[in-house]
Amino acid sequence: MTTKILIIGACGQIGTELTTQLRLQYGVENVVASDIRKLNNDIVNTGIFEVVNALDYNQIEHLIEKYQITDVYLMAALLSATAEKNPAFAWDLNMNSLFHVLNLAKAGKIKKIFWPSSIAVFGPTTPRENTPQYTIMEPTTVYGISKQTGERWCEYYHHQYGVDVRSIRYPGLISWTSEPGGGTTDYAVDIYHKALEDGNYECFLRDDSKLPMMYMEDAIRATIKIMQADAEAIKIRSSYNLAGISFTPAEIAAEITKHIPDFTISYNPDFRQKIADSWPASIDDSRARTDWGWNHRYDLASMTQVMLDNLRK
């Protein structure tokens, strides 16, 4: 049976690169991109695109039937910093969009779901270094609360109804192809832009705020890899820890100065510092590595090289 994919939230930071990669692997005709509005970009212009509201069950169901969709990647969400400004809408979007696809799978309309969780599920009481797969989870952000709740529902739907839902807890994601999307870790994208444009950057986190990060190419590879794994290999149906690299603003700045010697950084922490302080500094993702063969490829040096090279172009 041909795999037919629907990506909801295809124009977001992760969705754009995920859509491109899925089209390369499965064929343009088998990948339907969708988002709340139609932008003039490559995702819209180079394949099938539909306008869909992730909160509208009937719209999603219609697309699944129209294109005979087998796999749904639900990437629509309000991210950490943005969600704090609009908690009620963030909860509505992050939770009800998930219920819609879980219920469509329960009804037998789709075979497989990918739903992203996040390191935001952890909180200030979580062990900060080498955060285990199973640990204290007391998130203090709206985004984290919605993601933790979503994990519980994913696991419930798998155990109760046999829904094949798969998830990974993304760390901060860094990419040169899309603009920052309102996340606390987005400084690590913005800093490269500002380094090239202005030669300096004012960081909204402290210099020693160490956070788990990942180059986008690794994250996309992990997303597709977990979806392509045999169902028996996926032992965790809440969400898998996923790790790449951990660094501080001071460390990323030092790496940039190897390429741009005159680059300077200053620090002016804002409300996002409190969010960052509630998250882990490093993640233990040994279960993902054991169960379905995950491995990251990029470290801070190689990521910085690729980011600067591509942004210069």
Side-chain angles (χ1 to χ4, degrees), residues 39-68:
L39 303 171
N40 183 19
N41 62 18
D42 285 350
I43 298 305
V44 174
N45 299 332
T46 58
I48 306 166
F49 182 85
E50 296 271 3
V51 173
V52 71
N53 182 350
L55 290 171
D56 191 322
Y57 179 93
N58 293 330
Q59 280 186 16
I60 299 169
E61 184 181 38
H62 170 70
L63 288 188
I64 285 165
E65 289 170 353
K66 179 178 175 182
Y67 294 102
Q68 298 174 304

Side-chain angles (χ1 to χ4, degrees), residues 157-297:
Y157 269 74
H158 175 72
H159 290 319
Q160 292 292 332
Y161 311 119
V163 170
D164 189 352
V165 57
R166 304 169 183 209
S167 178
I168 50 186
R169 293 170 182 152
Y170 287 129
L173 299 180
I174 299 168
S175 160
W176 56 270
T177 62
S178 55
E179 294 297 313
T184 301
T185 53
D186 279 348
Y187 89 85
V189 178
D190 202 27
I191 193 171
Y192 290 110
H193 288 270
K194 295 289 194 296
L196 290 168
E197 289 162 18
D198 308 327
N200 59 72
Y201 179 64
E202 183 178 279
C203 186
F204 55 73
L205 297 180
R206 281 194 323 270
D207 62 343
D208 62 346
S209 300
K210 185 179 167 194
L211 289 167
M213 302 280 190
M214 182 173 287
Y215 185 54
M216 185 66 82
E217 195 178 299
D218 275 345
I220 300 302
R221 209 163 39 79
T223 304
I224 296 172
K225 191 173 179 68
I226 194 173
M227 283 294 273
Q228 290 177 341
D230 291 338
E232 304 79 62
I234 311 302
K235 311 265 194 259
I236 294 168
R237 293 294 181 157
S238 51
S239 194
Y240 277 93
N241 273 3
L242 196 74
I245 40 184
S246 284
F247 54 80
T248 66
E251 287 169 336
I252 194 173
E255 197 60 46
I256 289 170
T257 50
K258 293 178 186 174
H259 302 265
I260 307 168
D262 296 335
F263 173 71
T264 58
I265 186 168
S266 58
Y267 301 94
N268 185 18
D270 67 10
F271 74 99
R272 288 166 285 197
Q273 183 64 55
K274 195 172 166 190
I275 299 175
D277 288 342
S278 75
W279 289 353
S282 58
I283 299 285
D284 173 7
D285 65 351
S286 50
R287 287 298 303 266
R289 292 173 190 267
T290 305
D291 289 0
W292 45 276
W294 160 246
N295 63 302
H296 73 285
R297 291 176 184 167

